Amino acid sequence: MAISEHETITQRTATHAPADEISPRIPQVAGGFPTQRLRRLRRSEGLRRMVRETTLDPADFIYPLFVSENITEAAPIGSMPGQSQWPVSAIAGVAERVASLGVGAVLLFGIPAEKDEIGSSAWSEHGAVQQAIRAIKAATPELVVITDVCMCEYTSHGHCGLVRDGEVQNDETLELLAREALSHATAGADIVAPSDMMDGRVAALREALDSQGFSQTPILAYSAKFASAFYGPFREAAESAPQFGDRRAYQMDPANGREALREVELDIAEGADMVMVKPALPYLDVLARVRDRWGLPLAAYNVSGEYAMLKAAAANGWLDERRATLETLTGIKRAGADLIITYHALDAARWLREG
Ligand code: PBG
């Protein structure tokens, strides 16, 4: 008996319904409009609030801070309106403001007085980051202090590792990173976060920390860190632009999603306690895939260029800054991030408080 073309299409639709493929957890419902009217639950803020799937909490935010040895007063960063480099002397006051808004943590970057070929000021006991950690811990002991572990702010060539014959040396860099992380832990850092993208750095840091009595210091790995144009404003803020070439021989190719999963898998195997995807907005698919596969805490870095874009549009009156910012952060969280590293942290925390 011949099947009509209509029936064939119906059967095919039933067995290959796209919703099945996207998420087997969403039950298939018979019928539709007018029985189903999704607008019923959107009619008032009370109803919308009840069915909201994603909410932002200031405790999920991590606020990046630039601490410089070269200034005595806050130095505003031109390409990041509202953000500044801070002298060590101001950092306790800033930390108190961050804590009072309920923001979960700060992420420290250091700008040293002296740079050299191997970035030796990265592990100086009197470095900007080390001093800032002690100042914050004295003023607001409950505020979580995370430190960025990388060489690029400290090397004269601006690369994230030791350079020989024009190439960043992987294995020799590991020892330098381990020294830096140990120095941060010794100063009192709660979490260390390697952002260099050398292979094997998580294992190197874990081993060094464990052997020196810091087996309880967690590692937040910048696991899937892409070679991104969106780091431009940060390099002005951290004075860390590479003096030759670029970072594509160690940071990831923006085209690669499956490779990002391998990076995450290896970092977990080496002992990462938390992992990160960076930047956030062009990589929300990567974030969602990591979330689907692993249960450990997942951070997204809403980077300097993402911040600058939104600020620039808002300053021109092209976007409503508050709504666009909260929508952006909600989207990052909905995609799978537990934690969001963001320069918007203080503004967003204030707006969330105001309701
Ligand atoms: C250091 C580092 C960078 C960022 C965080 N850690 C810059 C880079 O890799 O060039 C970028 C953060 C941002 O753009 O907000 N390696």
Side-chain angles (χ1 to χ4, degrees), residues 39-310:
R39 288 183 56 187
R40 284 182 196 127
L41 294 176
R42 293 176 197 153
R43 293 185 64 224
S44 70
E45 181 51 21
L47 288 169
R48 290 191 292 269
R49 200 167 54 205
M50 277 187 73
V51 299
R52 191 157 290 146
E53 298 172 22
T54 309
T55 50
L56 293 171
D57 181 341
D60 304 331
F61 301 151
I62 299 170
Y63 185 54
L65 284 176
F66 302 99
V67 196
S68 171
E69 289 175 31
N70 306 316
I71 52 178
T72 50
E73 274 171 49
I77 301 158
S79 54
M80 299 173 71
Q83 306 303 312
S84 297
Q85 293 180 340
W86 300 97
V88 174
S89 59
I91 227 55
V94 177
E96 277 164 358
R97 194 148 48 87
V98 174
S100 73
L101 285 164
V103 169
V106 289
L107 172 61
L108 300 182
F109 295 92
I111 298 122
E114 315 249 330
K115 304 191 185 212
D116 60 26
E117 281 284 306
I118 63 165
S120 57
S121 51
W123 51 85
S124 159
E125 190 191 334
H126 306 293
V129 165
Q130 289 82 351
Q131 289 189 58
I133 297 167
R134 291 191 290 267
I136 295 169
K137 281 292 151 190
T140 53
E142 75 287 355
L143 181 66
V144 173
V145 176
I146 308 173
T147 58
D148 183 89
V149 175
C150 195
M151 304 313 299
C152 60
E153 294 115 84
Y154 304 95
T155 50
S156 43
H157 45 72
H159 277 287
C160 302
L162 195 77
V163 173
R164 185 167 302 133
D165 303 326
E167 227 183 277
V168 175
Q169 304 295 310
N170 192 88
D171 299 15
E172 288 163 80
T173 299
L174 299 181
E175 196 210 320
L176 309 184
L177 293 166
R179 272 203 222 178
E180 181 181 5
L182 258 182
S183 167
H184 293 170
T186 304
D190 294 299
I191 299 175
V192 291
S195 70
D196 52 284
M197 288 303 278
M198 298 302 118
D199 288 321
R201 79 270 168 76
V202 173
L205 260 57
R206 188 69 275 155
E207 201 182 304
L209 290 166
D210 288 357
S211 72
Q212 299 297 315
F214 295 102
S215 62
Q216 297 301 312
T217 301
I219 296 174
L220 163 58
Y222 283 72
S223 300
K225 176 173 176 177
F226 291 87
S228 173
F230 291 92
Y231 304 152
F234 172 95
R235 292 181 188 170
E236 177 196 338
E239 302 174 13
S240 65
Q243 299 304 301
F244 67 90
D246 55 44
R247 304 208 201 290
R248 286 183 296 174
Y250 40 104
Q251 298 181 349
M252 284 190 60
D253 185 331
N256 293 358
R258 295 190 303 268
E259 186 189 350
L261 301 181
R262 294 189 68 200
E263 285 283 5
V264 170
E265 188 169 30
L266 286 169
D267 281 357
I268 296 172
E270 290 179 25
D273 299 279
M274 310 159 103
V275 292
M276 191 197 300
V277 173
K278 176 189 172 187
L281 298 181
Y283 303 93
L284 294 181
D285 60 322
V286 176
L287 204 56
R289 288 162 81 181
V290 172
R291 169 77 307 149
D292 278 349
R293 279 176 177 70
W294 291 285
L296 79 181
L298 174 58
Y301 201 140
N302 177 214
V303 301
S304 56
E306 299 175 294
Y307 174 84
M309 280 196 303
L310 207 151

